[in-house]
Amino acid sequence: MKVQFFYLPFILLLLISCKQESPKVSSLVDYQGDETYSVISGGTTVGYLKAHTLGDTIHIDYDYKNNGRGPTMKETIVLNTDGFPLQWNITGNTTFGNTVEEQYALSGTAASWTDATGSDSTTAENALWYVNQSGSPYSTILTARSLLKSPDYTADVLPAGKLTLKKMEKTSITVDSTTVDLTTYALAGADINPSYFIADSNQRLFAVISPSFVIVREGFETKEKELRAYAEKYSAERFESLQKTYAHNYGKKVRIANVKIFDPNTLSLSVLSSVLVDGDRIVRIDTPDARGENEVVIDGAGGTLVAGMYEMHAHTGDEDALLNILAGVTSFRDMGNDNAVLEDLIKKIDSGVLAGPRVHRLGFIEGVSDYSANNGILVSSEAEALAALETYHDKGFYGIKLYNSMNGDWAPAIVKKAHEYGMFVCGHVPAFSNANAMLRAGFDEMTHINQTMLGWVLEPEEDTRSLLRLTALKRFPALDLNSPEVQETMDLFVQNKTAMDPTLAIHEVLMKARNGDVWEGTKEFIDHMPPNAQRGFKIALADVASPEDDQAYREGYDKIVETLKMMKDKGIVLIPGTDLGGAFFYHRELELYQQLGYTSAELLKLATYDMAQYLGDEDLGSIAPGKLADFFLIPGNPVEDIKAIKTISMVSRGGTFYYPSEVYPSFGIQAFTPMLKVKE
């Protein structure tokens, strides 16, 4: 039948309206197939990251082990056609063994997620990127592809906050006549410091980089040091910029007026006074209203001035150096590092290019094994260990630290030679040895209280290079501290005048943190932190798989506290350090020592004057004419309550002044105190 002309327009309209739109192309159409990366720490390949993309789905396998520990993760990510996640499943175990079962889903406008802190949901009118809690770094490139399409390369993300992508520079890498054009990026907003990564010209991930750790595309492992250098440069540039902006070098005398001064000799506060600084030294202590010509006057508003504190278990990096200064920690004892990186960092701190504490270096000596901590100098014989000692002596290190994979039988010869040089010796208990052997070898200090206590609960063949050095802490509740075995170790400490560096704060986190609960030591500052940092303070480190495990770890921690109290009562010197980066956690370390019988005033003295004496720093540790101007100001009275040190309004490091309320916003941290009045 012939269609009449009159009906033709209506038929055409019907055909057009019924025509289906062409399906959108997958956001991953150009990224199908396999990608493989090597994880490298300290120049050694320690694991891998593998990604397989099929259609809109990416499967990721991420596994590395350094120092006998590391994460094992598997991820499945499904993206929509605009490149945002619709589904995301992450399973595996964290570095210290905590089980991970993390999920994210977007259905219409309903976004929901479950991580270690619990479950939550929200309405998202537009698809957003989810910042995972425990996944691999591969999602960095997926997020970046979205951010490159966003205004100012910035976008809101879930569960909270914003991410900002910054292009750093274009570069290239050549291996075996193959050249890859690259762009380096910084991704900021989720945490206190940016993360850095590199993409190729097709926006495929090439590397994730940090000053000590690199994940690089397979076949380019030989370029690891070159890639790390980019991260070192970007981090240094960031902190050099912060130093230029926030370090106050007034160029004339500075008077801190209207303050009380903590005196470590009397364990009390002075009457209201003023402290005059000229250059890097304290020159005079006057009445609170004293004034001189051409002085900068900082009004201390009746607060308390305390000498700079010592973080005695640090692993120095530029990312924590300034944060420690802001926390009143003006001196570090570095317990092991990349020696070249540390040497360069100290030069920059000493020259004023970077903010940072004064650093005392311990040379790290580790044995070669599958469990090695890839740091310092690795050795495979007693002769090599003695040669490493010579190297550290020649480079001016004040002492050495021996580590897990080193053969304990070498310790007596190493300690003897070190003491002939006048060098200090401390360390872990090497695997298959015990604290008694190291005490008899002549250790000046034992590192980590668990390292000593494990000798009371382990069998000789058990290997502490693995996570056993954590999981065996569940055996501590059964310990009888009055047993002959325990008292033999205590007697050796006393006889040899060996000190203990317990790192109590990290044991609190390892043994008492639980998924979904705020870490006890962060409760005073967690609300001031960036969103993802807050999530991090609500995760267990250990795998607490049962109520029995929960009880064993909690009671094991109590046994640690009981052991340390016994040590203090016996006169064994306790050394305050964190192995957690210091800063806010250093405050927590001191706070925990109250359980051992210290008063707040005694803790101030321990953290300042006592540690200066311990390290031979005659110009530090108290506030007096002629001393170096390392001190900090707090509004409260720390003699009455040690927690007062957690709110710091001003810090001087050698006459360079910092005001935390000015600097903290650069880290995404809300200030704790108002800005002081400064008259220039």
Side-chain angles (χ1 to χ4, degrees), residues 248 250 298 649-650 657-663 675-676 678:
H248 295 269
Y250 291 108
I298 301 171
S649 54
M650 181 272 291
F657 290 83
Y658 301 86
Y659 303 99
S661 59
E662 278 190 335
V663 190
M675 180 64 186
L676 293 173
V678 181

Side-chain angles (χ1 to χ4, degrees), residues 554-593:
R554 292 184 189 278
E555 292 180 358
Y557 175 79
D558 293 340
K559 189 67 70 171
I560 286 175
V561 171
E562 188 181 345
T563 301
L564 290 173
K565 188 176 187 307
M566 179 179 285
M567 286 183 162
K568 178 181 181 296
D569 292 344
K570 288 178 176 290
I572 297 166
V573 175
L574 302 182
I575 306 299
T578 70
D579 202 19
L580 280 168
F584 301 114
F585 288 105
Y586 187 79
H587 301 160
R588 181 60 176 173
E589 182 81 13
L590 296 179
E591 184 182 0
L592 289 173
Y593 281 27

Side-chain angles (χ1 to χ4, degrees), residues 81 107 253 278 439 604 621 669:
T81 53
S107 177
K253 293 178 182 179
D278 188 4
L439 290 164
L604 288 179
I669 300 173

Side-chain angles (χ1 to χ4, degrees), residues 274-525:
S274 66
V275 175
L276 186 64
V277 173
D278 188 4
D280 65 352
R281 299 268 172 179
I282 299 166
V283 294
R284 200 161 62 245
I285 296 177
D286 295 321
T287 60
D289 56 353
R291 299 291 184 272
E293 292 185 5
N294 197 31
E295 292 177 350
V296 172
V297 179
I298 301 171
D299 183 2
T304 303
L305 216 57
V306 180
M309 299 182 291
Y310 282 75
E311 158 62 298
M312 296 293 282
H313 198 121
H315 295 277
T316 315
D318 51 12
E319 292 191 344
D320 60 19
L322 176 54
L323 286 171
N324 273 276
I325 292 293
L326 300 179
V329 177
T330 57
S331 292
F332 267 3
R333 183 176 65 170
D334 189 277
M335 300 292 283
N337 221 309
D338 180 306
N339 294 324
V341 171
L342 180 61
E343 184 175 2
D344 183 59
L345 181 58
I346 290 173
K347 287 177 181 177
K348 289 182 177 180
I349 291 173
D350 290 347
S351 67
V353 173
L354 291 177
R358 306 174 193 274
V359 180
H360 291 256
R361 298 179 297 172
L362 283 173
F364 191 92
I365 302 177
E366 166 71 313
V368 175
S369 82
D370 292 338
Y371 299 94
S372 296
N374 294 290
N375 214 345
I377 300 176
L378 272 65
V379 299
S380 55
S381 67
E382 183 178 300
E384 289 183 5
L386 291 170
L389 170 65
E390 296 277 356
T391 297
Y392 286 126
H393 173 259
D394 293 345
K395 289 182 175 292
F397 284 63
Y398 99 95
I400 57 170
K401 175 185 175 183
L402 306 184
Y403 208 64
N404 294 334
S405 289
M406 199 203 70
N407 188 328
D409 293 341
W410 308 338
I414 297 169
V415 174
K416 181 175 182 294
K417 190 66 175 178
H419 285 170
E420 288 174 1
Y421 282 138
M423 295 176 73
F424 177 92
V425 182
C426 68
H428 285 208
V429 174
F432 312 112
S433 186
N434 57 51
N436 289 6
M438 297 305 104
L439 290 164
R440 291 191 176 100
F443 271 34
D444 298 294
E445 180 181 307
M446 299 298 295
T447 304
H448 301 301
I449 183 61
N450 69 307
Q451 291 279 317
T452 290
M453 295 177 69
L454 285 171
W456 304 331
V457 299
L458 293 180
E459 298 300 323
E461 69 278 3
E462 291 187 294
D463 191 347
T464 54
R465 295 174 299 178
S466 67
L467 277 181
L468 180 68
R469 63 183 183 267
L470 167 61
T471 57
L473 273 57
K474 290 185 290 187
R475 305 179 194 177
F476 286 179
L479 275 171
D480 176 6
L481 296 186
N482 293 311
S483 67
E485 183 180 24
V486 172
Q487 290 305 308
E488 179 185 8
T489 304
M490 293 286 183
D491 290 344
L492 286 169
F493 268 98
V494 173
Q495 292 165 16
N496 297 341
K497 297 181 179 180
T498 305
M500 164 56 67
D501 164 26
T503 59
L504 186 54
I506 198 171
H507 286 87
E508 180 189 42
V509 175
L510 285 169
M511 303 178 76
K512 296 183 73 175
R514 298 293 181 266
N515 288 339
D517 294 338
V518 176
W519 294 2
E520 189 66 33
T522 70
K523 287 183 176 178
E524 275 90 3
F525 66 81

Side-chain angles (χ1 to χ4, degrees), residues 96-111:
F96 289 97
N98 189 16
T99 300
V100 173
E101 292 182 359
E102 185 175 359
Q103 297 94 32
Y104 170 82
L106 178 66
S107 177
T109 60

Side-chain angles (χ1 to χ4, degrees), residues 214-233:
V214 167
I215 302 173
V216 61
R217 185 178 293 175
E218 188 177 46
F220 292 85
E221 290 85 355
T222 58
K223 297 297 182 178
E224 174 263 345
K225 187 174 182 180
E226 183 178 333
L227 295 171
R228 272 197 297 120
Y230 285 106
E232 292 167 8
K233 179 176 72 168

Side-chain angles (χ1 to χ4, degrees), residues 77-78 81 127 138 196 211 234-235 314 327 339 360 400-401 431 444 466 533 545 550 608 626 631 640 672:
I77 307 172
V78 180
T81 53
Y138 186 82
Y196 303 101
Y234 300 147
S235 184
N339 294 324
H360 291 256
I400 57 170
K401 175 185 175 183
D444 298 294
S466 67
D550 177 79
T608 57
F631 50 72
E640 294 179 351
F672 296 85

